[in-house]
Amino acid sequence: MSATAATLEAPASLEAYDAPYHIGAVTLRVRDLAKLTAYYRDAIGLQLLSATDRSAELGVAGRVLVRLEAGAAQPSSAAGLFHLAILLPSRRDLADWLKHAAETGIRLEGASDHLVSEALYLSDPEGNGIEIYRDRRRLEWPRRADGGIAMATERLDLDRLLAEAGSEPYAGMPAGTGMGHIHLRVGDTTAAEAFYRDLIGFELMVRYPGASFLASGGYHHHIAGNIWGSRGAGPRQPGEAGLDRFELVARDEADFAAMRERILAGGGTETGGVPTIADPWGNRLALVR
C-alpha cells in the first residue's frame, strides 16, 4: 500500500468526534443482563469495564460505549432505538470484525455503502439494532449540487471487504473505537427536526423519505430519526426495554454551557451537574463533558 493510500485509509481521529458535540455512551434497559453482557463482549468485541448484579459497562480502552441496566418491565413500544452505531477507526478494522462475525456465526441483517461510510447491521439478542461502521475521510464525502453531503444506500461488497482482513485471531475492537451516532425511531420527522435542530441546535444534514439526519460540526450525522416502522408513535412508557438514554458529549466548557442553556430552556432538568432532556417520544439524552 502506498503512503497516500495508507493516509486515506486510516484517519488520525474519528470524523464523528471532530465536532462541538458527539455521541457518548448509550444505555440500554435489558431483560437478561448476563446474556446481553456476554453478547456485547464476545460477539461485538467490547471490553467489560465494570459490572454489578444490576448493570454492566462495556467499551474500548476505558471509554464506555454501551451501558446495560437490568429491569426492563415491558417490551419496547414503536418509538425508541433503531440502532446504536459503533464507529471503527479504519476499513481494516471493519474487515477484521467482519471476519470475526463470519468465523463465529454472527448473523448480519444488512451491509451498505453509504458513500460517506461503510456499514454492517445486526441486532442483539433482545432486538436492539447495532450498526458497526467506518467513515471515509471528509475530503472523500460526495457533495450534492447545493453543497450538502450526498448519502445513499448501496450494496457493500462483503467479499472485497473480507479480503482486507488480517490473519491474526480477533482481539476485540481496537483502541480509537467510539460511538459514532445514534438512530432513533420517532413518530414524526418534522417534530424530530423541531426538537433536534430547533431546540438542541444540530444542523439538518440530509433528508431521506421518512428519515432525517442531523449533526454537529459538519459530520454526516450524529442523530437520525425515522418513521419507517413508527409513524404516529406516541411517547414511550417508563420501564420499557431498549433505549434508556444516550450521552451527548460536549467538546469543551463553552460548548457544555451553551448546550446546557438550550436543554434547560427547553424544559430539561439537571441532576448532579448533568442536564437531561427527553424528545417528544421519551428518548432521553444527557449532556456530559
Side-chain angles (χ1 to χ4, degrees):
M1 179 182 290
S2 68
T4 300
T7 299
L8 291 176
E9 177 61 26
S13 61
L14 296 178
E15 296 288 0
Y17 284 35
D18 185 18
Y21 308 99
H22 66 264
I23 304 302
V26 175
T27 300
L28 303 176
R29 193 181 299 112
V30 304
R31 293 183 287 271
D32 190 331
L33 178 61
K35 185 175 183 178
L36 269 286
T37 299
Y39 184 83
Y40 280 93
R41 181 192 62 209
D42 301 336
I44 301 304
L46 299 178
Q47 301 159 11
L48 180 60
L49 302 177
S50 68
T52 71
D53 61 349
R54 300 295 297 169
S55 66
E57 294 185 331
L58 300 104
V60 175
R63 174 190 287 165
V64 179
L65 300 182
V66 176
R67 289 190 178 95
L68 304 174
E69 296 184 350
Q74 56 184 313
S76 180
S77 57
L81 182 71
F82 187 64
H83 61 241
L84 58 85
I86 298 172
L87 177 56
L88 296 173
S90 73
R91 192 170 202 263
R92 166 67 184 271
D93 296 319
L94 187 64
D96 287 342
W97 190 87
L98 178 61
K99 177 172 175 278
H100 159 68
E103 291 176 344
T104 56
I106 298 170
R107 181 175 176 270
L108 297 183
E109 297 173 348
S112 298
D113 184 336
H114 294 301
L115 307 184
V116 297
S117 63
E118 294 178 309
L120 306 172
Y121 295 95
L122 63 159
S123 293
D124 73 21
E126 294 191 3
N128 298 298
I130 302 168
E131 175 181 343
I132 298 173
Y133 76 113
R134 72 98 182 183
D135 273 330
R136 293 185 169 92
R137 289 172 59 88
R138 280 187 201 217
L139 59 86
E140 299 176 90
W141 294 354
R143 298 282 171 172
R144 305 189 304 264
D146 64 3
I149 294 170
M151 293 174 62
T153 300
E154 299 181 351
R155 177 181 173 273
L156 179 61
D157 188 333
L158 293 181
D159 291 334
R160 185 175 178 182
L161 177 61
L162 194 58
E164 297 189 26
S167 59
E168 306 85 1
Y170 189 65
M173 291 190 161
T177 298
M179 189 64 68
H181 64 267
I182 188 165
H183 194 146
L184 304 171
R185 302 193 311 264
V186 300
D188 180 81
T189 55
T190 300
E193 291 177 15
F195 181 86
Y196 288 104
R197 179 189 61 192
D198 304 338
L199 193 157
I200 297 300
F202 275 32
E203 181 183 359
L204 178 64
M205 304 304 291
V206 177
R207 283 192 181 109
Y208 275 7
S212 298
F213 297 79
L214 303 101
S216 171
Y219 189 55
H220 52 75
H221 69 293
H222 289 103
I223 298 173
N226 77 64
I227 56 169
W228 299 328
S230 56
R231 184 187 298 272
R236 304 176 69 221
Q237 300 303 309
E240 283 189 13
L243 180 66
D244 180 77
R245 63 190 180 277
F246 64 94
E247 291 177 346
L248 192 61
V249 183
R251 178 172 54 190
D252 55 32
E253 293 294 333
D255 293 324
F256 182 91
M259 184 60 71
R260 175 181 180 272
E261 183 176 349
R262 283 181 172 272
I263 287 173
L264 297 182
T269 60
E270 186 171 22
T271 303
V274 178
T276 304
I277 193 168
D279 72 13
W281 304 278
N283 300 310
R284 294 193 298 146
L285 67 86
L287 177 66
V288 300
R289 294 177 180 86

